[in-house]
Amino acid sequence: MKSIFSCLLSLSALPLVAQQPDFSPLQLAEKMTREEKIRLVVGMGMKLPGTAQGNGTGVGMLEDKVPGAAGSTAAFPRLGLPATIVADGPAGLRISPTRPGESRTYYATAWPVATLLASSWDTRLVEEVGRAMGREVKEYGVDVLLAPGLNIHRNPLGGRNFEYYAEDPLVSGKMAAAMVRGIQSNGVGTSPKHFAVNNQETNRNSVNVLVSERALREIYLRGFEIMVKESDPWTIMSSYNYLNGPYTSENYDLLTTILRKEWGFRGLVMTDWFGGKDPVAQMKAGNDLLMPGTPAQMAEIRKALEAGTLDEKVLTENAARIIRYIQQTPAFKKYVPSNQPGLKAHAAIARRAAAEGMVLLKNEMSSLPFPKGARLAAFGITSYDFVSGGTGSGDVNEAYTVTLPEGLLQAGFIPDSALQALYVPYVTAEKALQPKKSFIEEFFNPTPRIPELELNVQTITAAADAADAALITLGRNAGEGSDRKTANDFNLKASEQQLLEQVSAAFHARGKRVVVVINAGGVIETASWRHLADAILLAWQPGLEAGNAVADVLSGKMNPSGKLATSFPLKYEDDITAVNFPGREFPEKAETGMMGMKKIPAEVVYGEGIYVGYRYYLTAGVPVAWPFGHGLSYTRFRYSPAVVTALPGGNFRVSLTVTNTGKIPGKEVVQLYVTAPSGKLDKPAAELKGFAKTRLLAPGQSQMLYFQLSPRDLASFDTEQTAWVTDAGQYTLKLGASSLDIRQTAVLRVSKNVIVQKCNKVLVPPVPIREWKK
Ligand code: BGC
């Protein structure tokens, strides 16, 4: 205590520089005392059971300014630097919806999850969502949204996959860039995360990811590279895991050599919450801000400075980057938040975006759209308890979630009232029985979804007599802290299987259709039961307007145009990463980690190399349930032959015309895959190199789409040369409606081998990784 007081006294005696004209961030950092800099690079703490209440500097926690925010940075009035506030997360602003002593509420929009947004393949839409999301950040008084998440869907069981976009780095990078541009257009910041290779929740703080340089560069870093170069985020969040040895937050080569020197990142890097171990190593690596911040971190930095093991210059640079960030914030600009973010208008955008990213997987005999006024029997507890988004820090406190029957009713359908009379009280009663838990309790021990209601045969038969068609919703939820399981999650529960069988038997016996709605944040098994459904709509986790958005697609008000940005295998074991997920544990070396939790050292080897998702399925010829890029429409499209034009600088332009040949308006997503010539490096059968979505085309209407390719787009990372290299030879360009539905091809020739870009020899795995090859 004594030292804090003496430190505060000495600070108040320091000259005031706030009013003096325009110092650069570095000049301001140089004017700071050592103690001030230490206080700046360590966040202000977080109110969590078992942790410090603030970092004990005497400046105080800022949580009370925006309750429910995740953290804050310290204020330095003498330097004119205010405190700033950061809050989660990727599906919308996560703050407390209520405040002590106030009657008004602070709800935020629960947006469709990232996986759904990516399935729209529409970067303009994602930017629009980002603009609205950022408005809520600004108007609720927050400076940085801890989003977007853009880790790769390496394995379908990844607990946070819903927060991330895709199994492909191009889609991930383009979507994240659009999101960052949208959010930051409000003058608030973003923190794209988790940099890098945070592809699992199991042992996330203790797993060492062993991955080749090539897989890193082509798959796991590529999306971040695209995002940094195309959107200039204010901050980036390092991840929890180790990467080929050190923690990512302690890795100079990741955070400085690659991120700053190779890619030109100008912002600050913050840790994930309590991430890493050695604050001094983090400072040296260029991980400028330690979040949420603890007194122990400050003490260690102070000790290293005194001992001369940390150069004060390093700390000054870290501080300067934080100052540069602070000077951009609404807090610095003294913006007074209105606490009126326009939730009504945002709900309309959320509804439209949700429908744009839903994927019509199957639609036999044009079962969908349903005719107006159809009588629909909604089965499954999820129909009455729709999942708007995932759990953990990716969750949002929204005011409501529209259920399926509510959406159906508003769309002019007639939901079966007898079923509602059974389900609604059941769901209410079961939910009331669930334990009331704090965020932290729920975080570490998520409450399972309520069990399926078992219906007797008479109930199902009566519904089949009364209704025109059946809807069965299958629901899944997951989130931070644990990965999903195959039993009763990836694979159906016995009760769901039984419901599908009974309902489809009863309705099909009467010549009536059965439509399954999948309400999940990630991939589930569908191959064993899909024959029971006439149509399957993958609604993902569509945010607060869930039921309305599903009804918009079921009614045909919105013609589905979403396509998968992640593959659906026939069975879990077909995924090449299944044998290496979530890796090996070393329980004999267990130690005590954050908040007294057991930390088990672990290791995961990315033995699939670059062959993640469709790159593997296409190359190995392994059949899937629904391929990458798949998604149906209520109309049809014709693709004209593709035209390739050479442009200056070794670039190429590919163009083609898409025509709506069906009977109703619709949008089409065209994907450009490239098959490279066989050269020195092993190449996937095809890789996505571009995508474009048409506007809404009326029947008979056409639109020309363009794709531009640079030599870098055709290159692979050659580990021997530590460079991006384009091999000479013939490249086949494949324009498709999915990775398996190629409509047009064209070729282009590269006359000689080109080293497109030399890189630094860094992040080398400590042992050679044995990788799958074709
Ligand atoms: C998560 C981050 C999140 C942070 C702050 C961590 O547990 O991994 O994604 O932004 O908490 O809530």
Side-chain angles (χ1 to χ4, degrees):
M1 218 37 202
K2 193 166 157 251
S3 65
I4 294 165
F5 272 122
S6 55
C7 154
L8 282 177
L9 284 175
S10 61
L11 285 183
S12 61
L14 288 170
L16 202 71
V17 294
Q19 275 89 32
Q20 296 178 28
D22 306 334
F23 289 111
S24 74
L26 187 60
Q27 284 168 330
L28 264 186
E30 281 163 351
K31 290 190 186 305
M32 287 180 123
T33 64
R34 174 179 284 189
E35 208 47 45
E36 283 176 324
K37 283 182 278 192
I38 296 173
R39 224 172 58 192
L40 180 59
V41 299
V42 177
M44 296 295 290
M46 189 181 193
K47 282 182 185 158
L48 276 182
T51 66
Q53 306 284 301
N55 71 10
T57 58
V59 182
M61 265 286 305
L62 275 179
E63 209 211 74
D64 292 332
K65 192 175 157 209
V66 183
S72 55
T73 59
F76 300 87
R78 120 181 148 80
L79 301 160
L81 299 175
T84 67
I85 296 189
V86 304
D88 288 302
L93 182 66
R94 175 179 176 74
I95 55 173
S96 300
T98 52
R99 296 181 185 175
E102 289 189 42
S103 58
R104 67 146 300 171
T105 53
Y106 297 81
Y107 288 112
T109 304
W111 297 93
V113 298
T115 310
L116 179 149
L117 292 177
S119 310
S120 75
W121 298 70
D122 187 343
T123 50
R124 243 185 285 168
L125 175 80
V126 174
E127 196 166 330
E128 183 188 354
V129 168
R131 274 197 298 276
M133 217 187 250
R135 205 169 302 136
E136 295 185 22
V137 175
K138 187 169 186 185
E139 295 308 333
Y140 277 141
V142 172
D143 298 286
V144 171
L145 187 69
L146 304 171
L150 65 148
N151 295 103
I152 291 289
H153 293 167
R154 172 175 178 256
N155 178 284
L157 302 185
R160 297 183 81 171
N161 281 0
F162 73 98
E163 293 187 61
Y164 308 144
Y165 294 108
E167 69 186 20
D168 177 84
L170 180 71
V171 179
S172 304
K174 292 280 178 189
M175 293 297 154
M179 183 56 89
V180 169
R181 285 194 302 267
I183 295 170
Q184 292 194 170
S185 69
N186 293 280
V188 295
T190 56
S191 195
K193 62 194 189 185
H194 308 87
F195 191 58
V197 285
N198 180 183
N199 308 103
Q200 63 186 60
E201 288 302 285
T202 310
N203 299 316
R204 65 179 180 167
N205 295 90
S206 60
V207 69
N208 185 15
V209 179
L210 295 170
V211 52
S212 72
E213 290 157 73
R214 181 176 178 195
L216 265 176
R217 296 280 187 165
E218 291 189 20
I219 307 291
Y220 297 99
L221 300 184
R222 182 81 181 117
F224 282 96
E225 179 181 5
I226 294 170
M227 180 276 303
V228 164
K229 291 180 174 168
E230 296 186 6
S231 68
D232 196 13
W234 290 10
T235 88
I236 278 188
M237 190 188 294
S238 53
S239 59
Y240 280 133
N241 49 285
Y242 299 92
L243 165 57
N244 287 338
Y247 270 123
T248 57
S249 61
E250 299 173 12
N251 194 327
Y252 180 88
D253 284 330
L254 180 69
L255 305 184
T256 300
T257 311
I258 293 187
L259 179 63
R260 293 197 162 97
K261 297 190 177 160
E262 286 190 15
W263 300 349
F265 174 63
R266 304 190 300 158
L268 72 81
V269 176
M270 69 174 82
T271 57
D272 197 348
W273 268 228
F274 304 101
K277 206 191 234 157
D278 178 353
V280 177
Q282 289 171 321
M283 290 296 112
K284 290 180 183 170
N287 195 122
D288 313 295
L289 179 60
L290 309 183
M291 291 302 281
T294 66
Q297 290 170 325
M298 296 174 68
E300 281 190 54
I301 294 173
R302 193 177 297 122
K303 208 166 88 195
L305 289 164
E306 281 160 8
T309 49
L310 174 63
D311 187 344
E312 182 124 9
K313 239 182 90 200
V314 171
L315 185 69
T316 307
E317 278 170 19
N318 298 129
R321 284 195 284 258
I322 302 174
I323 293 172
R324 180 178 175 271
Y325 143 74
I326 293 173
Q327 290 178 337
Q328 292 171 280
T329 58
F332 182 80
K333 295 178 181 160
K334 300 196 169 48
Y335 184 74
V336 181
S338 66
N339 287 321
Q340 307 283 351
L343 297 181
K344 210 158 165 220
H346 292 179
I349 303 174
R351 175 174 177 169
R352 178 161 45 83
E356 291 270 355
M358 290 182 186
V359 183
L360 185 61
L361 295 174
K362 170 176 179 176
N363 193 18
E364 296 287 297
M365 300 167 296
S366 299
S367 301
L368 291 175
F370 289 131
K372 219 180 164 51
R375 292 166 300 168
L376 301 173
F379 293 92
I381 52 128
T382 306
S383 292
Y384 301 85
D385 182 25
F386 229 82
V387 185
S388 59
T391 61
S393 62
D395 194 8
V396 178
N397 294 310
E398 69 275 27
Y400 61 87
T401 300
V402 179
T403 66
L404 186 56
E406 284 164 359
L408 295 175
L409 199 64
Q410 287 190 42
F413 294 118
I414 304 164
D416 185 306
S417 51
L419 284 177
Q420 285 189 75
L422 284 174
Y423 274 108
V424 174
Y426 170 77
V427 169
T428 314
E430 284 290 319
K431 288 197 117 179
L433 290 178
Q434 288 180 329
K436 296 270 163 292
K437 292 187 197 160
S438 69
F439 173 69
I440 286 295
E441 288 163 342
E442 183 63 35
F443 188 92
F444 291 112
N445 185 15
T447 309
R449 289 183 54 68
I450 62 175
E452 224 11 281
L453 170 62
E454 297 215 4
L455 300 173
N456 61 35
V457 179
Q458 290 88 323
T459 306
I460 297 174
T461 316
D465 283 335
D468 297 317
L471 282 168
I472 305 170
T473 310
L474 301 173
R476 293 291 182 274
N477 211 350
E480 195 177 347
S482 47
D483 290 310
R484 295 171 57 203
K485 304 275 178 292
T486 45
N488 299 321
D489 186 349
F490 183 83
N491 295 328
L492 290 200
K493 297 173 191 160
S495 55
E496 292 169 329
Q497 181 74 29
Q498 186 183 331
L499 184 69
L500 277 169
E501 283 168 10
Q502 290 182 334
V503 170
S504 90
F507 278 73
H508 287 155
R510 289 161 180 77
K512 294 177 178 177
R513 305 287 160 81
V514 175
V515 175
V516 171
V517 176
I518 301 174
N519 174 206
V523 177
I524 66 167
E525 187 276 327
T526 57
S528 69
W529 56 264
R530 59 182 166 181
H531 62 282
L532 299 171
D534 302 293
I536 303 176
L537 176 66
L538 175 57
W540 297 116
Q541 289 170 340
L544 81 179
E545 285 287 321
N548 284 335
V550 172
D552 287 342
V553 175
L554 298 179
S555 68
K557 181 177 162 197
M558 294 288 282
N559 186 351
S561 60
K563 300 203 181 196
L564 295 177
T566 214
S567 308
F568 271 54
L570 284 174
K571 53 185 194 305
Y572 174 70
E573 294 71 27
D574 287 346
D575 187 297
I576 186 173
T577 67
V579 290
N580 278 313
F581 184 91
R584 284 201 303 159
E585 291 186 344
F586 306 99
E588 67 286 358
K589 296 188 192 150
E591 45 185 282
T592 307
M594 171 180 143
M595 288 188 268
M597 286 183 318
K598 200 163 157 200
K599 197 163 146 190
I600 305 171
E603 180 179 283
V604 58
V605 181
Y606 285 14
E608 69 284 355
I610 59 166
Y611 291 98
V612 178
Y614 73 88
R615 283 173 167 74
Y616 169 70
Y617 296 120
L618 289 180
T619 311
V622 173
V624 290
W626 314 105
F628 181 82
H630 168 75
L632 304 173
S633 165
Y634 298 148
T635 187
R636 289 182 307 277
F637 299 94
R638 191 180 57 225
Y639 292 27
S640 75
V643 178
V644 183
T645 320
L647 302 175
N651 297 322
F652 296 92
R653 195 179 67 193
V654 187
S655 56
L656 90 168
T657 302
V658 176
T659 306
N660 181 351
T661 55
K663 293 197 178 67
I664 61 162
K667 295 180 184 176
E668 173 69 329
V669 174
V670 179
Q671 302 144 45
L672 170 62
Y673 298 89
V674 172
T675 300
S678 26
K680 181 179 152 203
L681 302 178
D682 204 45
K683 300 267 185 171
E687 286 184 285
L688 184 79
K689 296 295 177 185
F691 58 90
K693 190 167 188 172
T694 66
R695 61 175 184 274
L696 190 72
L697 297 176
Q701 219 176 19
S702 302
Q703 185 180 347
M704 190 173 255
L705 298 177
Y706 300 94
F707 306 83
Q708 191 150 329
L709 286 175
S710 70
R712 167 74 192 269
D713 294 326
L714 300 177
S716 299
F717 189 80
D718 182 1
T719 310
E720 261 176 35
Q721 304 188 66
T722 315
W724 290 92
V725 175
T726 306
D727 284 333
Q730 178 172 307
Y731 290 77
T732 309
L733 312 182
K734 301 174 171 173
L735 292 139
S738 89
S739 57
L740 283 186
D741 182 7
I742 302 302
R743 304 285 183 84
Q744 296 290 349
T745 59
V747 294
L748 63 83
R749 261 169 245 288
V750 173
S751 52
K752 55 177 193 316
N753 291 344
V754 189
I755 295 186
V756 183
Q757 193 192 344
K758 271 289 227 182
C759 298
N760 293 288
K761 184 91 188 151
V762 291
L763 308 183
V764 180
V767 287
I769 313 284
R770 277 192 40 211
E771 291 180 325
W772 188 88
K773 288 205 168 35
K774 69 179 180 218

